[in-house]
Structure formats: C-alpha cells, structure tokens
Amino acid sequence: MMERNFLIRDAVAVVFDDEYFDLHNDFDFVEVRVFFGEKKVSFCFNRHDGEGVFFLNVLGVSHFSMSAIYSALGDRDVVEIGYKGPDDFDHDWLVSEEHSSLEDHLFIRLSGDDFIRVYGHSAKASMARD
C-alpha cells in the first residue's frame, strides 16, 4: 500500500500542507531521478515564478516504468496526474483521487503523450522555497 502525504486535485495539481500546487500551469517538470540501490524515484518541478522547487519522492519502489526514454527526455510539461490500478495498462483514462486506492500506481502524463508510472510503499510531497 502506497501511503501518501498529498492529494491529487483536478488531474493537474497536488495538494500538500493545505496548498494547491498546479503542476500543469505553475511548474516546469525538470527532473526525474531513479536511485536503484535505494529503491527511490524523485521528481523535481521548478516554479515558473522562481519561488521554489516542488518535489515528489516515492520510496520503496517496486514498480517504475516510463514511455520510451528518448522521447521523454527534454522539455516536458505535466498534462495530467492521477492513478492507475496495478493491472490497468489503458493509459487513456486515469483514476482520480476520490476513486483511487492505496494499491494504485502514481501516473504522470507528459506532453507528447509520454508518461511515468511508479509505485512504492510511500509517496511524499515537499516544497523548498527560496
């Protein structure tokens, strides 16, 4: 079960510490780092106004997949964020927060219909402000 300290809202935002972080409109997706030895995946998003960096870290990763790496490299925008059941590989439809379970994978759809899908024992959001 993937415990989370955030909620996904409107298929584009993460609510964390009573703040709404619109990853589609207010942030640039700049990095995904995979730490194989630590079973950790870290996502980094820079705020457009330069007022900080938003992180999503998935710990105890047991599933990680993404579309072809050569197409996922470069400038990418978050188009949609949500969940997919572990046996559901129809990437056209995402599950919203209200209909998700702790067994669902975190799914980030990027521009160009690229995606990243990850599952672990916990997913934690954090914000570093300048």
Side-chain angles (χ1 to χ4, degrees):
M1 296 189 357
M2 186 165 61
E3 298 292 330
R4 309 181 286 252
N5 73 339
F6 59 85
L7 300 172
I8 294 176
R9 290 288 179 242
D10 306 320
V12 295
V14 173
V15 175
F16 164 72
D17 275 354
D18 295 325
E19 287 189 69
Y20 185 92
F21 299 96
D22 186 336
L23 300 181
H24 175 71
N25 292 304
D26 299 334
F27 289 83
D28 292 319
F29 176 51
V30 294
E31 184 176 49
V32 59
R33 296 180 77 187
V34 180
F35 300 89
F36 292 104
E38 298 175 42
K39 294 185 176 183
K40 175 182 173 183
V41 175
S42 181
F43 300 93
C44 177
F45 304 86
N46 285 343
R47 195 173 180 106
H48 290 164
D49 62 10
E51 295 294 319
V53 180
F54 185 80
F55 297 97
L56 281 176
N57 293 302
V58 181
L59 309 172
V61 171
S62 58
H63 179 91
F64 176 79
S65 60
M66 61 189 298
S67 53
I69 192 163
Y70 58 86
S71 64
L73 294 175
D75 293 332
R76 291 288 176 224
D77 294 320
V78 172
V79 173
E80 186 177 23
I81 185 169
Y83 300 101
K84 292 301 293 179
D87 298 322
D88 183 354
F89 294 96
D90 177 359
H91 294 163
D92 290 333
W93 303 101
L94 299 187
V95 176
S96 66
E97 185 73 42
E98 294 77 19
H99 297 100
S100 71
S101 76
L102 296 178
E103 287 80 26
D104 289 341
H105 296 178
L106 181 64
F107 191 97
I108 301 173
R109 186 183 321 282
L110 305 169
S111 59
D113 210 28
D114 289 322
F115 70 88
I116 301 172
R117 181 177 182 149
V118 64
Y119 180 81
H121 66 69
S122 66
K124 306 289 182 191
S126 62
M127 181 71 183
R129 301 193 195 293
D130 294 337

